[in-house]
Amino acid sequence: MSALVRMILVTFISGLASMLAWADPAGTEEDPLRVMLIPADGGTSDGTLSDFQPLFDGLTHITGLHFDIRTGQSYAAVVEGLCSGVTDIAWLGPVSFETAHQKGCAELLAVEVSNGASTYYAGLFSRRDSGIESLEDFPGHSLALGSIHSASSFAYPMAMLIEAGIDPLEELSDIRITGSHSNSLMALDSGHVDTAGASFVSFERALNSGAIEAANIRIVAKSAPIPNPPLAMHPSLADERKAQLRDALARIHMVDGINPAMIRGYGGKRVDSYDTDMTSSEFIEMLSGLKEIDDAFRGEVLSKSSGN
């Protein structure tokens, strides 16, 4: 049997297994829609659940549907949850959504909107006592990043360095993959690394919670706009269910009985509304500047990383 035939058979069997494992839930208390969330900040299950529980309570108020909400152990675990058929709805990072979509496991449901925008930003940060004031100062220094599947704590910071003419694999003294935005920022604050990459949402949250000290950290660079982490659906959900969810999210900010404080997004912050008109292809097009940050690059980073 040729390698090509084996690959086709493996792909077919994997897809068939996923289809057999997946069943469209009724959305009742006994058979709720299964939701899985990426660990947004510090990998804490309770924190991420508390961020999003009000939003799903609002959806229950509008639709009568019930949801079983859980936090995945990692970005990759949430993608696997969709692709293995044990998750119906997921909150993902932009890059992990692209991964799941390419595998045929994810369809865009909605993207949060704040102040008229459905985007956020990543940053590269340094310790003020390191002497690092620009991207050109990064060579020879250590860098802390979050999950390799994260847009704002890995892909965009790496792309920013590459765009500045820096080869992160060759010119940085050390790369540490800490698993989360907050871990990277705390490693920077405590002096374990010279620089870090994280989202500005996580940076502000860490400052506000007292996890890091503003006096210790310098903002070195800000990324191009990143599409907000999306809500996605398993493509095999019934069309009526997809339409029901989209309709509810599109008007949740206008429904009587929904407190505006319930409409939450990334980092638990209040958002104005949810955009349900953006298509999966439109969303992925916004990530076109990350083509160099592929699986091969991630593997090289992991092989060179010193870990936590």
Side-chain angles (χ1 to χ4, degrees), residues 127-237:
R127 279 191 60 88
R128 289 189 181 275
D129 59 9
S130 68
I132 300 170
E133 299 181 2
S134 69
L135 293 179
E136 289 70 25
D137 297 325
F138 272 59
H141 293 281
S142 55
L143 171 67
L145 298 170
S147 166
I148 62 169
H149 299 288
S150 169
S152 53
S153 70
F154 183 86
Y156 274 82
M158 283 296 199
M160 291 160 70
L161 289 172
I162 292 170
E163 186 177 356
I166 298 166
D167 183 343
L169 294 168
E170 297 296 331
E171 297 186 63
L172 296 178
S173 65
D174 186 22
I175 300 173
R176 298 191 184 187
I177 303 302
T178 69
S180 74
H181 301 254
S182 57
N183 285 348
S184 296
L185 291 167
M186 288 189 289
L188 179 63
D189 183 74
S190 61
H192 293 300
V193 291
D194 305 316
T195 66
S199 75
F200 272 87
V201 173
S202 294
F203 175 64
E204 291 164 6
R205 188 171 188 173
L207 286 176
N208 293 336
S209 69
I212 61 175
E213 294 290 335
N216 294 338
I217 297 176
R218 172 184 286 112
I219 299 171
V220 178
K222 186 176 183 179
S223 74
I226 307 170
N228 281 331
L231 287 166
M233 303 177 287
H234 193 289
S236 297
L237 271 175

Side-chain angles (χ1 to χ4, degrees), residues 39-75:
D41 198 19
T44 59
S45 175
D46 290 346
T48 305
L49 284 175
S50 65
D51 288 346
F52 279 90
Q53 186 68 58
L55 177 68
F56 285 94
D57 288 344
L59 291 177
T60 298
H61 174 81
I62 296 171
T63 65
L65 294 171
H66 292 267
F67 303 90
D68 176 23
I69 310 171
R70 303 183 184 191
T71 304
Q73 292 299 307
S74 66
Y75 286 63

